[in-house]
Amino acid sequence: MALSGRFVLLALLGLVPVLLFPGVGTVLCVVVALAALLGLDLGLAVSPRAIIVTRAEPGNVTLHGTAASVLTLRNSGRRRLRATVRDAWQPSAGAVNPVQDLDIPALENRRMTVRLQPVRRGDVGARHVTVRSHGPLRLAARQRTFDCAGLLRVLPPFHSRRHLPSKLRKLRELDGKAAVQIRGAGTEFDSLRDYVRGDDVRSIDWRATARRSAVVVRTWRPERDRRVVIMLDTSRTSAARIEDEPRLDTGIEAALLLAVLAERGGDRVDFLAYDRRPRARAGSATTGNLLGQLVQAMAPLEAELIELDWSSLPGQIRAVSAHRSLVVLLTALDSGAPEEGLIPVAAQLAQQHVVVVAAVRDPMLGQMLRERENAAGVFRAAAAERVLLERAAVSAELRHHGVEVVDAEPHQLPPQLADMYIRLKAAGRL
């Protein structure tokens, strides 16, 4: 019924008591008529108990992508259901149209689709669905909240995927697709070829040379099936925001690029998220797609406001791989006292493994160094210079113990870490 029709009906019902009971005040008559009308409209509304709500799980979506949450409402009553439905997703799910009006005839179903555009990584959910059943005049309604949980897993966006083709080309060059010759520990024999000027004389195969009456050299290729262990720090330092994302998310991007690149290079990859206990674990040893396993394991990770337990980290690495491996520590260079945690642990691991420490550097430090127009700017530049010198000292100490260091800004950390892996593989150190 149109809004004007409702007012006309209300006015007519208000005149009835006045005509029947002339001695009663007009205002009181109108109030009585309105109450009767509201009661009638409420009585004609479909009971919420006759409504059945079911949900189809939205599944997974990458960050800044779009997903759909589908609700199915069944009207098991004998009257038409005129309802306002609210799907109560948490704000970070980015629900575009969580409140919708539905008109459902008796004994029929209707679907309600809510578009979700999540704004942060992780698990977001909806616990309740609220249905408000209106009467024919929409003057009164009956309401009920249904327990109808929904879960949407928001996966890391993997923006660093754009660097993968160029890194794979470099890796294929090392793998024999281009003419390369590599010497050093940890390399595998590839083939024989004729000697050309400039070849290392130590690569001459004297037996083959004697058989062919020509100088023949061995060529080498990087070993396959090496172990790569990636440890992502989820302690309090990973909660710091650098540029437009937490340090933890930058570490996730770097870990994804390195893991996919190493797997394509024929190596075995294991991932561990750790602070005081393991938070996530994934690896190429299990069946299935490594990238799919990694994003599923990384999606719910959150920074824990506790210190990293450095003393137990070597045991965790040993549990993942007891053999010589490339161990990548995605952590912070400025976390507390590195001389008591990071440096001795990395030096201990370097005695058995090839260790790389990868850390995010705040671009604001470089900007502060350049802004010296006034006294406040000079003080900020001095503070930034001190922080950079401390990071350089920690990096130098780590390199002194045989640990490689990648200290880069957020958008540069994933490709630079991948380049470090390629250099180590080319040098035969894996």
Side-chain angles (χ1 to χ4, degrees):
M1 182 180 293
L3 187 61
S4 58
R6 296 176 197 167
F7 283 113
V8 171
L9 180 59
L10 181 61
L12 293 176
L13 291 177
L15 291 176
V16 172
V18 176
L19 296 176
L20 296 178
F21 307 100
V24 181
T26 304
V27 176
L28 180 60
C29 293
V30 172
V31 171
V32 171
L34 180 59
L37 188 60
L38 291 175
L40 177 62
D41 195 41
L42 185 62
L44 294 177
V46 174
S47 172
R49 299 193 179 194
I51 304 171
I52 302 174
V53 181
T54 57
R55 182 193 297 276
E57 289 292 345
N60 302 328
V61 65
T62 57
L63 183 62
H64 306 306
T66 302
S69 172
V70 180
L71 295 174
T72 301
L73 283 79
R74 177 171 178 78
N75 177 15
S76 61
R78 297 182 178 181
R79 292 190 295 271
R80 178 179 291 273
L81 172 63
R82 302 168 180 85
T84 299
V85 184
R86 180 178 184 271
D87 195 3
W89 285 92
Q90 62 189 81
S92 58
V96 177
N97 52 342
V99 180
Q100 300 181 26
D101 292 330
L102 296 179
D103 192 335
I104 309 176
L107 304 177
E108 291 190 13
N109 300 338
R110 290 292 184 273
R111 287 185 177 181
M112 170 180 166
T113 302
V114 178
R115 290 190 296 116
L116 305 175
Q117 297 176 347
V119 296
R120 61 176 298 179
R121 174 187 51 78
D123 290 337
V124 295
R127 299 185 59 185
H128 307 294
V129 175
T130 301
V131 180
R132 181 173 296 174
S133 174
H134 300 277
L137 301 177
R138 301 185 72 88
L139 297 176
R142 307 168 73 176
Q143 180 171 303
R144 181 184 176 186
T145 298
F146 297 83
D147 291 329
C148 190
L151 181 66
L152 174 67
R153 172 156 290 186
V154 185
L155 306 177
F158 196 13
H159 294 309
S160 57
R161 185 196 297 267
R162 65 182 183 273
H163 300 290
L164 189 58
S166 61
K167 307 306 177 187
L168 285 174
R169 282 195 296 271
K170 293 182 179 179
L171 202 58
R172 283 195 294 269
E173 291 177 357
L174 298 180
D175 202 24
K177 298 295 191 300
V180 294
Q181 180 180 349
I182 305 170
R183 293 194 54 84
T187 58
E188 292 181 348
F189 172 74
D190 184 31
S191 62
L192 297 173
R193 64 172 174 82
D194 292 335
Y195 174 86
V196 296
R197 185 182 297 275
D199 285 342
D200 191 342
V201 295
R202 292 174 297 178
S203 64
I204 297 176
D205 189 317
W206 295 107
R207 291 185 179 180
T209 298
R211 288 194 301 266
R212 296 181 53 180
S213 300
V215 181
V216 177
V217 296
R218 298 187 184 98
T219 59
W220 309 84
R221 64 178 178 177
E223 291 185 1
R224 287 181 172 271
D225 199 26
R226 301 296 90 187
R227 299 293 296 265
V228 178
V229 181
I230 304 172
M231 194 286 295
L232 178 62
D233 181 1
T234 56
S235 65
R236 64 173 183 82
T237 56
S238 63
R241 294 192 68 88
I242 298 180
E243 284 195 336
D244 58 345
E245 66 181 10
R247 180 178 285 159
L248 177 62
D249 287 31
T250 305
I252 287 175
E253 287 287 326
L256 285 173
L257 180 61
L258 176 60
V260 175
L261 181 64
E263 187 197 31
R264 300 282 183 88
D267 294 332
R268 178 176 172 181
V269 180
D270 290 282
F271 169 77
L272 174 68
Y274 185 76
D275 41 67
R276 287 188 176 274
R277 62 179 179 87
R279 302 290 176 177
R281 178 88 178 266
S284 55
T286 57
T287 58
N289 179 23
L290 174 63
L291 179 58
Q293 295 179 44
L294 287 173
V295 295
Q296 287 289 340
M298 294 175 176
L301 288 177
E302 296 291 344
E304 304 291 335
L305 301 183
I306 54 178
E307 292 289 343
L308 177 65
D309 185 7
W310 287 103
S311 61
S312 62
L313 183 59
Q316 295 292 331
I317 300 296
R318 195 178 307 112
V320 174
S321 173
H323 305 286
R324 177 179 174 84
S325 308
L326 170 63
V327 177
V328 180
L329 305 179
L330 286 160
T331 184
L333 290 177
D334 53 356
S335 56
E339 64 277 1
E340 298 177 3
L342 172 62
I343 294 176
V345 170
Q348 178 184 347
L349 291 172
Q351 296 176 4
Q352 180 183 359
H353 308 283
V354 178
V355 180
V356 176
V357 174
V360 185
R361 184 176 67 249
D362 193 347
M364 185 63 68
L365 295 173
Q367 181 179 348
M368 291 168 62
L369 282 177
R370 295 188 295 270
E371 296 178 354
R372 305 185 183 188
E373 290 80 7
N374 48 41
V378 172
F379 280 110
R380 286 194 295 269
E385 183 68 31
R386 179 174 180 177
V387 171
L388 291 174
L389 288 175
E390 290 175 352
R391 295 175 70 92
V394 173
S395 299
E397 183 69 17
L398 288 170
R399 293 188 178 97
H400 176 72
H401 292 285
V403 178
E404 300 290 343
V405 179
V406 179
D407 185 15
E409 296 181 358
H411 298 294
Q412 296 300 320
L413 181 64
Q416 289 192 19
L417 181 57
D419 289 337
M420 174 63 71
Y421 165 78
I422 294 173
R423 287 198 298 271
L424 292 174
K425 204 169 181 68
R429 294 183 57 186
L430 298 189

